[in-house]
Amino acid sequence: MLYDILALVLAIFVAPVAGGLLRGVDRRLTARLQGRIGPPILQPFYDFFKLLGKSRLVSSRENLIWAWAYLVLTVAALILFSLGQDLLVIFFMLAFAGASLAFGAFSVKSPYSHFGAYREIMQMLSYEPILLLAAVAIFLETGSFMVADVLSHGGPLLVFLPLAFLAVLIALGIKMRKSPFDIAASEHAHQEIVRGVYTEYSGPFLALIELTHWYELMLILGFIALFWAQPLWLGALLALGCFILEILIDNIAARLRWSWMVGVSWVLGVGLLLANIVIIQVAGYGPGL
Amino acid sequence: MPGENLIAVLILLPFAVGLLGLAVRDEKVRRPLVIAASLALMAASVALLFTVLGRGTVTFSPSEAWEMPITILDFAMLAYFLYIGITSRHVLVTALTLGQWVLFPLLKYSVLPAGYEVERVFRVDLLAVVMGLIISVVGSLIVIYALDYMREHEKHLKLSRTRQPVFFLFLIGLLGAMNGLVFANSILWLFFFWEITTLCCYHLIRHDLTSEAQASALRALWMNLVGAVACVLGMILVFRSAGTLALDEISAAGTVGPALLLPLALFCLTGFTKAAQVPWQSWLLGAMVAPTPVSALLHSSTMVKAGVYLVLRLAPSFEGTLLSAAVAVFGAFVFMTTALVAISQRVSKRVLAYSTISNLGLIICCAGINTDLAIAAAIALIIFHAVSKGMLFLAVGAIEQQIESRDIEDMEGLVSRLPLITGAAIVGMITMLFLPFGAVFAKWASMEAAAVPISPWFPLVVTFLAVGSAATLVFWSKWIGRLMSNLIVARKEEKAERRPFFAYGALLVLVSTAVVLSVFIVPLMSLLVMPAGQEMGYGVPFDTSGWQLRTALGTFSPWPLFAAVLVAIVLPALFIRVRRDELQPAYLCGENVAADPVSFRAVADVPVTAATGGVYWQRAFGENQLNNWINGAGILLLAALFAGVMM
């Protein structure tokens, strides 16, 4: 019980702070890679509170409802994760959250917003099979879909699931909306005026979406940490390493077409996972067998 | 009322009402008659549920006097199919019927001993009760809806003489035939009702008598006759090796020997044709030309459900065999590929049709995975798919009658024009698509069932399921997006939403059923679905203590998930308010025209109206691109299934 309350506090209050800080690191690191000085690490929080104070400009009421839904459903997924719940349920919840972002963009009559929504859906088509199959691969190693059981599982999963891990990195790139996968909206240093799925959001509701991204980032990094769950600090380091790797890739890659993204995720991502699952099956290890 | 009488009512009442309607022909009589009969069917099916829950499985054999008329009717139907084949010069229908003219007498008079009948002709266990409830409750609601729909439909067609009596005869008759089919324990009787469903389906599809409708009806007929031939062949082989045509005796034997695998594979093939699995999906898509209540009925509670029911019913007898693994791979393949094709569809009913085929594939896949968990998932999916899909067809039919189009592109922003029905449709889609609703619970359960390495083919099955699941997300989300976009206030000249009482009533009852069943999924699973699986010889996959569904692998807790959805969507929908002065036109990358919120000044200050359109990715997921591959692969998989079984 006490542990559950602690987990809830972590998920609801600590995760966004950590996520915001990581976004600050991201912006600073990106700036350095581009030869700029970059903003202070706390800049995402300054932006967030500034946005909160702006007056509301609204294109449609539904737009706001779905932005709110995006936040609540993402937080719900993170809470499920921190309470050690079922991985597939968490990913289905995350899919609902992602679709809410697209629904919000659809509920305004703006072509840019609609383009973004369709591309957001395409991004989901790309990473969803990877996440689901990664959960299956983890199940085959640990004998359970429950995060709690995966955490208490002894050996480091990364050793047995190296190919699955590579596939999850593709999903991480898409979920972080980093180049070459920032298809639904450009993420790059916010230089573009027309930002696809976010075009119609401003002020407090843009802040809400930014906050959701922080939660989302923590959830997906938490999932990566599961690949080295014992001791957990190693898993955290692993997740941090992947985060920095994504920033590097982001800065050396250009945005590409959606068809390329789906192709890479399905052929490479799903292929790697399938290969890993078959290897587990043939080698016959893991209590799931 | 004892169980036997309830069975008789559920099978015979629909036919009686249909024939009475045909004799009287007066709408003033037909409407109350149909409504009364529908209510009686619902009541009888619920009564049967309590009878079976209380007394256990009900068995019943009609007197031997029935044998002769049934045989005559069997042959009369074959004669009628032959007549259709010859008069419409359809080679396949003719040839397949002739094949049955050879095989069926062979079975009846050479293979079977004279006067053979199984001991328990009808046997109603919980699985049959679940099917009976779906047929009688969802099906009856669709029939009630049809009362309003067909009136409007015929007004639109400007017919000089109403054809509704014939229509309702086949529509209600289909319910009776389906009840007979799922209650039958004797495969001979099952086959008899099976043929009646084929007959009803043929007449319902060609109801409007356009050349397209007639062609589609003939296609549905020949494809269903393929299944019928396979079924008769299966009966001959199964009697040769097992000496019985009773379903319970076939599956009671536990996992069968290799000699029975071929007839079981043939029965599965029969199920696949009726469930419109690849490569037979085209008959169900062609059936879309029929009036909407027909599509709703065929897709949700009857016809295609007969196909998956048969496979599920036989599942215990091929548990752990190669056939089982092949069925799982095949079903998962159909689930994935038809979901992918659905992405490219812009005709609403075709999206629904592909989604139906896809979900049926998932049910068949679960039957093939054949574990405690998979069978529970399959039964749950049958229930939730019937309710949600029936509702979605009814909504689309009502929308079509009001906007005179079934194109998703014409439904842009429909939620502001027809708020009630579009809102219901969106809720219906969400119940098919997202947590914590039942259909997705079933998807979750099947995914976890597929992840357990019980056959060497499980990596393939689970991969198909993962990709198919993502594809499902795409086509529903896109459609929901189209319905919600363009929220400009309804223009004055547009007609207000017509809300016919019976049509809207049936629809709203189905939406609420989908939501309520999802909220109470734990009791539903523990009282009905899992006991149904147990009666088939499976174990109890879920620990239901604490209002959770806990398996050895994972946990599904519906109520916290519902709380999350409540806070995420329902509360903001109720409480988020926007002041008029906060409303701004969308950003259009130019100077907005003050008077028109969707126009902007572009080059040379010319006003341009912004337009949005759906994306269907034809070049990637179009039928032209994928169909040949899918059908080819489907045929190969089926060939592999038979080759594997015969080796």
Side-chain angles (χ1 to χ4, degrees):
Chain A
M1 193 64 206
L2 192 68
Y3 174 80
D4 284 350
I5 292 170
L6 190 69
L8 268 180
V9 170
L10 270 177
I12 297 174
F13 299 107
V14 179
V17 176
L21 280 176
L22 281 177
R23 291 287 288 153
V25 171
D26 175 359
R27 287 178 68 177
R28 181 71 155 259
L29 206 59
T30 297
R32 288 294 154 87
L33 286 167
Q34 295 168 346
R36 297 182 284 119
I37 294 173
I41 301 288
L42 291 180
Q43 188 64 39
F45 297 101
Y46 300 149
D47 292 349
F48 176 79
F49 287 111
K50 185 175 163 196
L51 282 173
L52 272 188
K54 297 254 180 191
S55 61
R56 302 205 310 176
L57 296 179
V58 182
S59 308
S60 86
R61 195 174 79 95
E62 283 71 8
N63 202 9
L64 307 188
I65 295 174
W66 288 112
W68 181 255
Y70 177 45
L71 171 68
V72 175
L73 294 173
T74 306
V75 174
L78 185 62
I79 290 176
L80 288 173
F81 186 84
S82 68
L83 293 179
Q85 288 296 306
D86 193 294
L87 272 174
L88 287 184
V89 171
I90 293 166
F91 290 146
F92 283 143
M93 192 55 122
L94 206 57
F96 198 172
S100 300
L101 182 62
F103 293 157
F106 273 126
S107 60
V108 195
K109 183 142 180 167
S110 154
Y112 305 104
S113 189
H114 280 234
F115 276 133
Y118 283 113
R119 291 172 168 194
E120 183 72 25
I121 291 175
M122 270 308 166
Q123 293 191 167
M124 294 173 72
L125 180 65
S126 306
Y127 67 68
E128 191 73 6
I130 295 182
L131 293 184
L132 296 181
L133 283 177
V136 169
I138 290 179
F139 158 75
L140 287 172
E141 265 313 297
T142 61
S144 171
F145 280 98
M146 303 295 283
V147 174
D149 295 339
V150 179
L151 276 175
S152 57
H153 177 75
L157 289 175
L158 182 58
V159 178
F160 302 99
L161 304 173
L163 303 179
F165 185 75
L166 286 179
V168 169
L169 286 188
I170 299 177
L172 173 72
I174 305 175
K175 214 58 196 119
M176 280 175 68
R177 301 167 167 83
K178 291 290 187 190
S179 291
F181 302 113
D182 54 339
I183 295 195
S186 83
E187 190 68 2
H188 230 281
H190 306 252
Q191 317 108 316
E192 285 169 53
I193 303 166
V194 178
R195 293 195 61 217
V197 77
Y198 311 120
T199 306
E200 291 307 316
Y201 288 107
S202 65
F205 282 88
L206 189 59
L208 215 63
I209 285 182
E210 197 57 40
L211 180 65
T212 314
H213 285 341
W214 300 346
Y215 279 111
E216 209 174 46
L217 179 63
M218 292 316 285
L219 176 57
I220 193 85
L221 289 180
F223 179 58
I224 286 178
L226 284 187
F227 281 84
W228 206 301
Q230 297 244 336
L232 196 54
W233 63 270
L234 266 177
L237 269 187
L238 180 69
L240 199 65
C242 294
F243 175 74
I244 290 172
L245 180 69
E246 285 300 339
I247 295 171
L248 287 178
I249 295 173
D250 180 36
N251 281 289
I252 54 174
R255 191 183 317 147
L256 291 163
R257 294 170 60 88
W258 68 265
S259 49
W260 178 86
M261 173 183 65
V262 178
V264 166
S265 338
W266 281 16
V267 177
L268 200 63
V270 173
L272 283 170
L273 273 158
L274 189 59
N276 210 148
I277 290 176
V278 170
I279 289 172
I280 297 178
Q281 188 188 16
V282 173
Y285 52 78
L289 283 173
Chain B
M1 206 188 285
E4 295 78 18
N5 297 352
L6 289 172
I7 295 175
V9 166
L10 284 166
I11 298 174
L12 295 177
L13 179 71
F15 291 110
V17 170
L19 290 171
L20 199 60
L22 197 59
V24 180
R25 300 196 65 88
D26 188 353
E27 199 181 20
K28 285 201 197 81
V29 180
R30 186 173 57 244
R31 285 175 82 92
L33 186 68
V34 165
I35 291 167
S38 301
L39 294 176
L41 278 182
M42 291 187 210
S45 62
V46 173
L48 188 62
L49 166 71
F50 285 109
T51 313
V52 174
L53 281 179
R55 281 185 12 209
T57 303
V58 175
T59 57
F60 166 57
S61 294
S63 78
E64 281 174 18
W66 281 89
E67 153 125 33
M68 199 48 156
I70 296 289
T71 309
I72 291 173
L73 281 174
D74 260 326
F75 280 105
M77 263 192 289
L78 281 184
Y80 182 61
F81 290 150
L82 194 60
Y83 164 78
I84 295 171
I86 291 171
T87 50
S88 53
R89 297 192 189 142
H90 200 286
V91 183
L92 278 167
V93 171
T94 316
L96 289 163
T97 317
L98 281 176
Q100 282 198 70
W101 271 107
V102 176
L103 290 173
F104 193 67
L106 181 75
L107 167 76
K108 204 78 187 145
Y109 300 111
S110 165
V111 176
L112 296 179
Y116 171 81
E117 188 48 271
V118 305
E119 210 173 300
R120 295 171 291 274
V121 171
F122 291 103
R123 181 174 177 280
V124 183
D125 59 0
L126 274 177
L127 177 63
V129 166
V130 168
M131 293 297 297
L133 276 170
I134 292 170
I135 295 159
S136 307
V137 176
V138 181
S140 296
L141 284 169
I142 293 169
V143 170
I144 290 176
Y145 167 93
L147 289 173
D148 281 335
Y149 184 93
M150 289 313 286
R151 185 187 269 179
E152 184 73 20
H153 185 69
E154 297 208 324
K155 210 191 289 172
H156 196 76
L157 293 180
K158 300 186 178 71
L159 294 185
S160 56
R161 186 161 183 271
T162 177
R163 298 193 62 234
Q164 286 191 51
V166 187
F167 181 80
F168 277 96
L169 168 67
F170 288 113
L171 200 69
I172 307 183
L174 189 54
L175 299 185
M178 278 297 297
N179 276 331
L181 190 157
V182 299
F183 296 158
N185 183 43
S186 156
I187 306 181
L188 271 176
W189 282 72
L190 184 143
F191 178 72
F192 168 68
F193 289 116
W194 193 275
E195 293 286 81
I196 300 183
T197 62
T198 303
L199 179 75
C200 289
C201 177
Y202 169 78
H203 275 281
L204 288 170
I205 295 177
R206 75 193 285 272
H207 177 76
D208 285 343
L209 298 177
T210 59
S211 57
E212 195 191 355
Q214 307 216 18
S216 299
L218 282 171
R219 191 185 319 147
L221 184 58
W222 82 255
M223 288 188 172
N224 275 293
L225 286 176
V226 171
V229 171
C231 188
V232 181
L233 258 180
M235 280 195 276
I236 293 176
L237 291 175
V238 92
F239 193 80
R240 284 246 169 104
S241 40
T244 176
L245 283 181
L247 281 168
D248 60 343
E249 285 166 30
I250 293 173
S251 39
T255 303
V256 295
L260 266 187
L261 278 187
L262 181 59
L264 287 178
L266 284 167
F267 288 141
C268 286
L269 182 68
T270 311
F272 295 165
T273 54
K274 189 131 287 198
Q277 298 294 289
V278 172
W280 289 286
Q281 72 276 40
S282 61
W283 83 254
L284 197 59
L285 292 157
M288 294 294 129
V289 299
T292 300
V294 176
S295 318
L297 205 55
L298 297 187
H299 279 264
S300 67
S301 59
T302 66
M303 203 64 188
V304 295
K305 286 282 155 60
V308 293
Y309 166 76
L310 184 61
V311 179
L312 195 59
R313 175 59 84 193
L314 294 170
S317 48
F318 55 74
E319 194 181 341
T321 63
L322 188 63
L323 174 63
S324 197
V327 167
V329 174
F330 177 78
F333 172 79
V334 173
F335 171 69
M336 174 181 75
T337 50
T338 46
L340 285 173
V341 180
I343 294 176
S344 67
Q345 300 302 309
R346 57 180 275 180
V347 176
S348 53
K349 280 175 110 182
R350 287 180 80 85
V351 175
L352 294 182
Y354 272 117
S355 141
T356 298
I357 302 167
S358 176
N359 276 294
L360 297 173
L362 184 57
I363 298 170
I364 287 172
C365 171
C366 286
I369 296 170
N370 225 334
T371 56
D372 307 344
L373 183 58
I375 296 297
I379 300 173
L381 195 55
I382 287 181
I383 299 172
F384 285 103
H385 178 260
V387 176
S388 290
K389 191 53 70 69
M391 177 267 140
L392 281 173
F393 266 105
L394 299 189
V396 164
I399 288 172
E400 187 183 346
Q401 284 193 332
Q402 305 206 29
I403 68 170
E404 289 173 12
S405 165
R406 52 175 69 168
D407 190 334
I408 293 177
E409 286 308 286
D410 294 328
M411 297 185 189
E412 184 181 42
L414 203 62
V415 76
S416 50
R417 281 183 281 158
L418 307 173
L420 182 59
I421 193 146
T422 312
I426 291 174
V427 174
M429 290 184 204
I430 286 180
T431 59
M432 285 295 297
L433 179 58
F434 290 126
L435 282 177
F437 296 99
V440 182
F441 156 75
K443 203 178 282 174
W444 166 82
S446 44
M447 205 60 210
E448 299 211 336
V452 180
I454 36 167
S455 86
W457 299 101
F458 88 96
L460 211 51
V461 174
V462 81
T463 305
F464 287 162
L465 292 191
V467 176
S469 174
T472 311
L473 198 65
V474 176
F475 66 79
W476 287 127
S477 302
K478 266 184 339 142
W479 189 357
I480 296 177
R482 288 309 283 163
L483 292 173
M484 289 193 311
S485 67
N486 182 17
L487 288 144
I488 299 158
V489 186
R491 295 182 193 93
K492 288 256 165 52
E493 72 267 26
E494 270 182 293
K495 285 175 269 179
E497 183 171 2
R498 288 193 307 273
R499 295 174 180 175
F501 178 76
F502 288 121
Y504 269 54
L507 205 142
L508 293 177
V509 168
L510 282 177
V511 184
S512 1
T513 311
V515 175
V516 169
L517 283 184
S518 300
V519 173
F520 294 102
I521 193 162
V522 176
L524 179 73
M525 295 301 288
S526 58
L527 292 179
L528 205 54
V529 173
M530 291 196 294
Q534 276 174 281
E535 284 186 354
M536 293 167 71
Y538 293 93
V540 175
F542 292 107
D543 168 11
T544 53
S545 59
W547 294 95
Q548 290 183 329
L549 292 162
R550 198 178 297 115
T551 69
L553 331 174
T555 307
F556 186 93
S557 340
W559 289 13
L561 300 178
F562 267 105
V565 171
L566 188 80
V567 178
I569 296 172
V570 182
L571 291 186
L574 291 176
F575 291 113
I576 288 187
R577 291 273 171 270
V578 172
R579 291 199 315 272
R580 187 163 289 272
D581 61 316
E582 291 171 340
L583 268 179
Q584 301 290 324
Y587 176 75
L588 295 172
C589 222
E591 186 194 352
N592 285 62
V593 177
D596 185 354
V598 288
S599 292
F600 63 99
R601 292 185 191 285
V603 181
D605 261 6
V606 182
V608 177
T609 305
T612 54
V615 180
Y616 296 90
W617 296 290
Q618 282 287 347
R619 264 194 296 174
F621 303 111
E623 283 176 326
N624 291 343
Q625 272 66 31
L626 295 181
N627 261 1
N628 287 342
W629 292 98
I630 292 174
N631 287 338
I635 291 169
L636 272 180
L637 278 178
L638 283 178
L641 186 152
F642 276 96
V645 165
M646 284 197 273
M647 267 193 297

